[in-house]
Structure formats: structure tokens, C-alpha cells
Amino acid sequence: MASLSYRDDSRQGAGSLSDDDDKPLPLDFAHHYSDTTKSRNASKIKAIYKFFQIPGILNIAGGLPNAQFFPYDTLEAQAAKPERWSPSSGSSNPSAPNHITIPHDDSTQKDLLQKIDLATALQYGMAQGYPPLLGWIRQFTRDHLHPGVPYKGGPEVVLTCGSTDGFAKALNLFVTPWRTTDPISSRPGLLCETYVYTNITNQATPLGVQMVPVKTDESGMAVSGPGGLEDVLANWDSSKGKRPHLMYTVTLGHNPTGILLSVERKKEIYAICSKYDVIIIEDEPYWYLQFPEASSLEAESRGLPPPPRSSLSTVTTPSSGFPFLDSLTPSFTPLDTDGRVVRLDTFSKTVAPGCRLGWITAQPALIERFERITEATTQQPSGFVQALISKLLISPSPTPSPTPSFSLFSHRPPPSQPSGWQPSGFVTWLSGLRTRYQTRMARMCTILDSGSVLITTPPTRSHSWAVVKKVKLYDFSWPRAGMFIWLRMHFFSHPLFPVFKSALSTALMVWLTGGDYKVLVTTGAIFAANDEIKEREGWEYFRLCFAAEEEENVELAAERFVEGVKAFWEVRDHEVIKKLLEEVKSDDEVVGEQEGLVNLAGFMGC
């Protein structure tokens, strides 16, 4: 397989590592490009944008509206300081927020990587993203998030409209759509865990992509054994389609199961993907929400001996410069000697989902293809959002000079100016969020532990003693990362299971939205990678989101859930279950619109 070189010297990075010459070039994966991608050329319009930056040039080439007619004079916001949440305790710090102002036109700033104003942010721009924000994310990614990527030159980035958009572009890049009239031998496949975020199947299957689930155990995607990754690829049946060359995975806080994949398991998976030439699309919206205390808190809650201390971060990489980031289990990128990893990141969980802003990290040749796709689809993320996030993260330069030198992180703004978060502030914010979410997770899981068993006493005709019966209602592992608790409901222990079987799952979901419970959960069936898994076992699971509800509702939601489940197990009347099932006769009917409903579903998970 031929190696590739970089497109041009301008994409080599802020600085080469001392041992960079000893690293291999990333492999050339053009043979995996879709037919559409192979035919894409650079936008002729976008190609002339570089000339717009020539000082003093008069631009009558582009079809750009005049910035003076934009109906916004400024864009202003009260932005949190990164210390709002204490990284150690999660307590709130009531310090005054920063007032940030984005002017219409900052004519004093000549450095385009520092210039944040509406005249540039709201104008047509480059597909890579808004220059100040692109530069900041690129350097944060290379220096702090993924230091020491093991291929020459390191990765590049391109901005997206969130991870969903990033995955759509990955499908565009690697998948040639398949129709039922096409030869079965050309049908593409997508490797994934047994349970997968629903938006992935919703995007892939209309393109004719076959979902190919890999067996998953308590530690994540299985490598060996029946149904494991090696078994699926080595024994692929070509009568079912083309052997998959694409994998989708969430390894750091898997949605919906909350699993955290160890580095050892990642190494094994990567080796098999390299052996069978599989591209890894790694979606990591929860990478910073890793809960190091989950195992000890789980043991304490269940009266078990403290677990042995272990480290999942056993990979040798340069330090990120921040102890918090160094403590996290890393992604596939430090292992990516081939350049086959495409990582999706998003601001949805760090700032807000409505931002619709994220980025893709991958080897430069793949990023170049993503740029071509972006030019012909979304063009660029929203200028409003990019400007606001830029102002949040980037400190203003000191008094501009006529010939400013670019140093994105070395200047400290004057005291009179609001200070952007910068990498250190962003990491402080992330660590504070992690602590807050871990506290929520522990509060909810503790209540679920205490209510997982129903104790009943059968009625007797006398006052003599009766046998106390314990019925296990559900079991679960405390999530090691992410925003979700994955419960396996013991429906087979319900007295009406012989009659209703898997339909009890739907009945319980509806039951919980009514009465005094008013709590909404998600059935695991919707996350099943295919219909076989859904029918075999998907109905046994519920996903609970401990992140969505207000602080005061976290424990209330868990208590209502426990009370509702226990009451449901007391139901003996067939008609009660039938009536519940009648409430969901059609997919168009909305369940659970009652006032006061507590939402544990969190449908839009990524």
C-alpha cells in the first residue's frame, strides 16, 4: 500500500517534534474513497479566497455582500469564567462573568488569526472554518488533546456543524450509496458495537449501508471469540455484501452503555483494523466525562470490597501540559501509526448542543477531502457561533502592531479587556464539568442500587409467619464515562411475563410516564444495531440520562423510577398492560406530555 505525502508545506504545523523525521507517513486510503469523493475537485470560488487577504487589494471578484449592510452592529454576551465549577468539588463559583463584545469591524487588528469581528465572521469564508477559531482548535488538538500522534507531521482539523454533520461527511467520503438493484457484492458495511447511537443507523441505512454489529462485553467491543471483531472480519460471508472497511465507535463513555474502552483493548482493535484495512471513525463527545471514582463508589454503594486501583491510560505519549488531560484514557489517535483514525469532536457537551459546532481530526489527506465535501455542502459552520466561541476561547492580543507576529497563546490581554479562556481555562472548565456530572451520576446510581430489589410477602390466611420473597428488578454497572446509565430490566421475573413477554418493555415505559411517577426513559430497543438484536434482547434494556434534568430533579427522577418499577411489578391485571400498550398504537403518537414529567431519556445523545 503506497504511502502519501502532505499537500503543501503550509499544513505542517506550528512546529515539528524533534523525532518527527523518524515517524512514518500516514498511509494512502484513496482506495476507500466513495465514487463521489473521487470525483470532487477544489472549489474554484474558494480557491481565490486567499487573494482576498492581500493588503490593499480591491475585491470585485467574489459575490460577497457588503459587510456594512449586515444588520448587526455588535454581538454581545455574558460569558462564564472557566472557574465557575470547581474541578475538585464541583461547587459553584459565583464570580462575575466576562462581558464579551464582538464589534462590527475591528480595523485595528491586522492579524487574521486574532481578528474576531462580524465583518469577517458573518461573511462567506473558507471551508476549514473561521481562521481564529480554526487556528486555536488546531493548536489545542495538536499540542494538548493529541500530542505525539505517531505519523509524520501530525493531524489536521476541519470544523463541522457538530458530530452528526461530521459523521455524515465521513459517510460521504467513504461510502458509495448502494441500491437493492446493485450487486450484493458491492454493498458497504459499517462495523459497530451491539448497541449504537440511533442517529448513526438513521444516517447510514438509507445509503444502503449494512450495519455489522460486533459482540460487546463489559469492557467494550470484543476482539476475539465468536462474534468478536477478528471473527467477523476473518470469516466474512461475501454473499452478504462487501467486507466492511469502516467502523463507527464511541470508546470514551459509549452511548448508550457508558463503557470506557481501555488502552489495551484499543491496541487490540487497532491491530485488527490495520490487518483488515478498516477506517476507524471515533466519535468522542464525552471524552472529558470520564469518572475515575465510579468503581470505588459503586463498590461502596453495594457493600463490596474496594476495587484494586488500575490505570487505563497505559500509553506512552508526550504530556498534554495539563494533569487533567493526562489522567484521561486517550483515544485511538496516539496509536494511529497508519493514519486510519477519523476522530469527531463537538462543542455540544462542553458549551451547548445548539451551537452545532465541532471538528474532525485526521491525517492531512483525509482532511483535504473533508474540505472538498464541506465546500459543496455546508460550506462552513454558522459565523455567529464561530465568532462567539472564538471570543470565549481566545484572549485578545495586546495593542496591535502594524506587522503583528502570530503567537496564539503567548500574549496576555490588558487588565481592562475580558480574557478568553485559552487552553488552560478550557481545561479548567472541562474538569469542573466532569466533577459536576460525576456527582450527578453517583447520586442517581446510589438510589437505583437501593431500589433494585422488590421485597414481597405472599398473603396468608392466618397470622403465622410468611416467606419473604426478593425479586431482582434490574441490574447495571455504574457508568465509567458519559451521560447514561444502562439498565438490564429483569422482565422475565414479572408475573405477567409469560403472557406479554417483550411487550412489557413498552408497557413499562408508558406506565412510568403516568400516575405519580411521571418520568420518561428510553427503551434499549431503539439502540439495537439491527432487528435481530432488537428482537432478541434489546427490549430488556433501558437507558437513563442523568445529565438532562435540573439539579433538584436528579434524585427525584431516580426515586420516581424506582417507585414506578416496583409498582409495575405488582400489576397482575392483564387489562392494565393491554391499556398501556394501546397508548402506543402508532409511531406518531407522543407518549408522556404530562405536566411535571421528569426526563431521563435524553433522546438526542450525541
Side-chain angles (χ1 to χ4, degrees), residues 383-404:
F384 287 103
V385 173
Q386 292 192 83
L388 281 170
I389 299 298
S390 297
K391 204 70 172 179
L392 182 71
L393 296 175
I394 303 171
S395 290
S397 295
T399 304
S401 60
T403 57

Side-chain angles (χ1 to χ4, degrees), residues 91-330:
S91 59
S92 175
N93 182 353
S95 60
N98 275 334
H99 183 88
I100 60 177
T101 300
I102 303 171
H104 183 275
D105 186 0
D106 184 3
S107 58
T108 63
Q109 180 58 265
K110 304 304 181 184
D111 185 350
L112 293 180
L113 293 183
Q114 292 282 347
K115 184 180 174 109
I116 304 173
D117 62 15
L118 298 181
T120 53
L122 301 188
Q123 191 57 272
Y124 288 117
M126 299 298 290
Q128 301 102 310
Y130 188 44
L133 185 59
L134 176 68
W136 193 96
I137 289 176
R138 182 180 183 277
Q139 191 159 351
F140 180 78
T141 297
R142 292 169 61 93
D143 293 353
H144 306 297
L145 189 54
H146 307 306
V149 172
Y151 52 76
K152 189 173 182 178
E156 283 298 336
V157 300
V158 61
L159 302 193
T160 66
C161 302
S163 289
T164 299
D165 175 53
F167 181 68
K169 286 169 178 169
L171 289 176
N172 191 305
L173 174 55
F174 295 114
V175 172
T176 297
W178 182 86
R179 300 167 296 178
T180 54
T181 54
D182 295 332
I184 188 66
S185 60
S186 66
R187 186 180 185 185
L190 180 65
L191 297 160
C192 62
E193 286 90 357
T194 309
Y195 294 94
V196 63
Y197 176 48
T198 56
N199 249 1
I200 301 307
T201 53
N202 290 343
Q203 289 188 81
T205 52
L207 300 177
V209 176
Q210 177 182 196
M211 303 301 293
V212 183
V214 178
K215 181 182 176 182
T216 306
D217 58 27
E218 65 278 0
S219 300
M221 185 179 286
V223 175
S224 57
L229 183 60
E230 176 83 43
D231 178 48
V232 168
L233 292 171
N235 301 305
W236 181 255
D237 183 356
S238 59
S239 67
K240 296 181 179 179
K242 184 180 179 181
R243 189 173 70 187
H245 68 263
L246 204 58
M247 173 191 289
Y248 172 85
T249 183
V250 182
T251 68
L252 305 174
H254 181 262
N255 180 9
T257 65
I259 289 173
L260 184 71
L261 201 69
S262 69
V263 172
E264 288 70 24
R265 182 69 64 90
K266 280 190 171 81
K267 289 178 179 177
E268 294 172 335
I269 290 173
Y270 188 88
I272 294 174
C273 288
S274 184
K275 177 180 178 180
Y276 292 96
D277 195 19
V278 174
I279 300 290
I280 300 172
I281 302 175
E282 183 183 23
D283 189 4
E284 300 298 0
Y286 312 105
W287 62 271
Y288 62 97
L289 291 183
Q290 300 182 28
F291 306 134
E293 299 177 22
S295 57
S296 58
L297 290 172
E298 180 183 52
E300 181 182 350
S301 174
R302 297 174 178 179
L304 301 174
R309 299 190 65 177
S310 61
S311 173
L312 298 176
S313 304
T314 54
V315 60
T316 302
T317 61
S319 172
S320 68
F322 298 103
F324 173 72
L325 295 182
D326 289 343
S327 73
L328 300 177
T329 301

Side-chain angles (χ1 to χ4, degrees), residues 5 33 45 120 148 156 182 189 214 278 280 324 399 444 481 486 490 492 540 582 584 586:
S5 60
Y33 292 172
I45 294 294
T120 53
E156 283 298 336
D182 295 332
V214 178
V278 174
I280 300 172
F324 173 72
T399 304
M444 185 169 287
W486 186 241
H490 291 200
F492 53 83
E540 294 185 46
E582 287 175 359
V584 285
S586 72

Side-chain angles (χ1 to χ4, degrees), residues 271-527:
I272 294 174
C273 288
S274 184
K275 177 180 178 180
Y276 292 96
D277 195 19
V278 174
I279 300 290
I280 300 172
I281 302 175
E282 183 183 23
D283 189 4
E284 300 298 0
Y286 312 105
W287 62 271
Y288 62 97
L289 291 183
Q290 300 182 28
F291 306 134
E293 299 177 22
S295 57
S296 58
L297 290 172
E298 180 183 52
E300 181 182 350
S301 174
R302 297 174 178 179
L304 301 174
R309 299 190 65 177
S310 61
S311 173
L312 298 176
S313 304
T314 54
V315 60
T316 302
T317 61
S319 172
S320 68
F322 298 103
F324 173 72
L325 295 182
D326 289 343
S327 73
L328 300 177
T329 301
S331 82
F332 274 108
T333 52
L335 312 174
D336 189 21
T337 53
D338 297 341
R340 66 178 62 253
V341 174
V342 175
R343 170 159 162 152
L344 310 180
D345 280 278
T346 179
F347 285 105
S348 289
K349 307 302 186 293
T350 57
V351 179
C355 288
R356 306 317 310 142
L357 184 64
W359 69 96
I360 298 172
T361 304
Q363 60 149 298
L366 297 182
I367 293 298
E368 185 273 337
R369 290 289 87 190
F370 280 119
E371 290 173 7
R372 303 291 80 78
I373 294 169
T374 301
E375 287 172 351
T377 55
T378 56
Q379 292 202 27
Q380 64 189 62
S382 164
F384 287 103
V385 173
Q386 292 192 83
L388 281 170
I389 299 298
S390 297
K391 204 70 172 179
L392 182 71
L393 296 175
I394 303 171
S395 290
S397 295
T399 304
S401 60
T403 57
S405 59
F406 171 60
S407 180
L408 197 57
F409 304 130
S410 61
H411 297 306
R412 186 171 296 174
S416 60
Q417 293 181 291
S419 175
W421 284 2
Q422 294 294 61
S424 60
F426 188 44
V427 173
T428 297
W429 178 260
L430 296 178
S431 58
L433 290 182
R434 193 270 295 274
T435 301
R436 297 285 292 188
Y437 279 119
Q438 180 172 258
T439 300
R440 281 170 164 257
M441 179 274 296
R443 288 162 59 193
M444 185 169 287
C445 285
T446 300
I447 293 173
L448 293 174
D449 272 346
S450 66
S452 63
V453 174
L454 175 65
I455 300 176
T456 62
T457 303
T460 60
R461 295 183 178 180
S462 64
H463 295 290
S464 60
W465 65 274
V467 177
V468 174
K469 184 179 180 181
K470 293 184 178 181
V471 179
K472 187 73 171 177
L473 302 175
Y474 51 81
D475 60 65
F476 70 102
S477 295
W478 285 40
R480 270 37 179 183
M483 291 183 170
F484 307 109
I485 302 170
W486 186 241
L487 282 79
R488 179 175 177 265
M489 307 300 299
H490 291 200
F491 287 113
F492 53 83
S493 70
H494 193 285
L496 296 182
F497 180 76
V499 177
F500 294 98
K501 295 184 169 54
S502 62
L504 283 179
S505 178
T506 302
L508 175 55
M509 185 190 73
V510 180
W511 170 271
L512 290 169
T513 65
D516 295 328
Y517 316 118
K518 289 188 173 61
V519 59
L520 183 62
V521 301
T522 307
T523 58
I526 72 171
F527 300 102

